[in-house]
Amino acid sequence: MTASRPLHQRIRGDIETRIRSGEWPPGYRVPFETELMAEYGCARMTVSKAMSSLADAGLIVRRKRAGSFVAPPKMHAPVLNIPDIQSAVLARGEAYTFRLLSRRIRAARRNDADEQALAAGGRLLDLEGVHDAAGRPFALERRLVSLKAAPDMANAAFTERPPGAWLLENVAWTEAESRIGAVNADPEISRRLALDPGTACLVVDRKTWRTGEHVTRVLQIFPGEVFNLVARFGPDP
């Protein structure tokens, strides 16, 4: 039965077996197409068809000029929950770090109604940072925090816990709103997340409140290859 399969399916099957068995772990560089052509004695079109199929299945990631790599396992987060990125990454057995890129305390912009509502007459903590998983950028985070709702956050170091985890531990929220979207990585996002320009990214825009008081607004940008949002529904009783 194996011999009767089209060669591109056999190449895909061989590579998929190595990935799923753990022989080729996440981040492992898959042999170049020229190497696979030599190994299987076939044309580039045959190898390219197999690689495209693996990429479509989310098993490999193809990067221009760098080659193809075994894709990292996707993080799954319930749509109606607020995920703790640090805990999720550590649960996958990967090293986690948060790199704080910028931090400042400022007033809300006068012409921005959302910022004015968030600040509620106080000042805002404006943060930007990158969550890393296994030594690679996992998410870019841009966050505004109401210092009226979370005054102690002005002095938090974020060396052990990133801003989101700090808030989950110290400022209880009672209401949240999440908007899910997608963007193609612009030059800045590409640089922050080490992506090719134009790479598809998932965007989570979230606001939280505590008994009607605004707490934070955060924009988290994930490479599309590393993150899933999951919702499970059932009929009303």
Side-chain angles (χ1 to χ4, degrees), residues 5-27:
R5 295 170 61 194
L7 184 54
H8 72 87
Q9 290 184 7
R10 183 156 63 88
I11 296 171
R12 176 201 159 127
D14 290 349
I15 294 175
E16 182 172 354
T17 297
R18 292 187 175 103
I19 293 172
R20 295 196 184 280
S21 69
E23 179 183 348
W24 290 359

Side-chain angles (χ1 to χ4, degrees), residues 209-229:
W209 294 263
R210 179 180 58 191
T211 58
E213 179 185 34
H214 290 261
V215 177
T216 187
R217 180 173 186 177
V218 59
L219 195 72
Q220 294 172 330
I221 304 171
F222 302 84
E225 67 194 53
V226 304
F227 197 84
N228 274 339
L229 287 167

Side-chain angles (χ1 to χ4, degrees), residues 15 37 40 52 115 137 159 171 174 176 179 214 218 224:
I15 294 175
M37 289 164 56
Y40 288 92
S52 294
E115 286 195 6
T159 52
V171 183
T174 58
R179 295 178 182 271
H214 290 261
V218 59

Side-chain angles (χ1 to χ4, degrees), residues 14-194:
D14 290 349
I15 294 175
E16 182 172 354
T17 297
R18 292 187 175 103
I19 293 172
R20 295 196 184 280
S21 69
E23 179 183 348
W24 290 359
Y28 181 89
R29 185 183 69 76
V30 178
F32 288 114
E33 290 191 2
T34 52
E35 297 175 280
L36 293 170
M37 289 164 56
E39 179 181 347
Y40 288 92
C42 63
R44 181 181 293 274
M45 183 180 296
T46 301
V47 172
S48 181
K49 193 172 183 178
M51 300 297 278
S52 294
S53 178
L54 289 162
D56 290 344
L59 293 170
I60 66 170
V61 178
R62 307 176 83 176
R63 300 192 179 105
K64 293 180 181 178
R65 298 181 295 277
S68 298
F69 300 83
V70 176
K74 289 197 173 187
M75 185 180 108
H76 300 274
V79 172
L80 302 180
N81 193 14
I82 295 183
D84 179 347
I85 294 177
Q86 180 183 23
S87 297
V89 170
L90 292 175
R92 299 191 325 190
E94 296 177 344
Y96 170 86
T97 55
F98 177 74
R99 292 181 284 126
L100 186 62
L101 303 177
S102 66
R103 171 187 192 139
R104 62 185 177 126
I105 295 174
R106 63 174 177 84
R109 297 183 178 94
R110 292 182 180 179
N111 60 348
D112 191 317
D114 283 342
E115 286 195 6
Q116 290 288 335
L118 177 61
R123 298 179 70 79
L124 298 174
L125 178 60
D126 188 336
L127 303 168
E128 183 175 42
V130 174
H131 301 265
D132 290 333
R136 289 186 55 82
F138 183 82
L140 173 63
E141 177 170 308
R142 295 166 177 164
R143 182 183 294 272
L144 291 175
V145 181
S146 168
L147 290 179
K148 189 173 181 180
D152 292 343
M153 199 169 184
N155 300 314
F158 309 125
T159 52
E160 296 183 2
R161 298 292 273 163
W166 190 98
L167 281 169
L168 287 172
E169 291 179 354
N170 293 279
V171 183
W173 59 276
T174 58
E175 184 181 356
E177 173 187 286
S178 292
R179 295 178 182 271
I180 315 301
V183 298
N184 293 326
D186 61 22
E188 183 179 358
I189 294 173
S190 300
R191 185 173 62 257
R192 299 298 198 199
L193 295 179

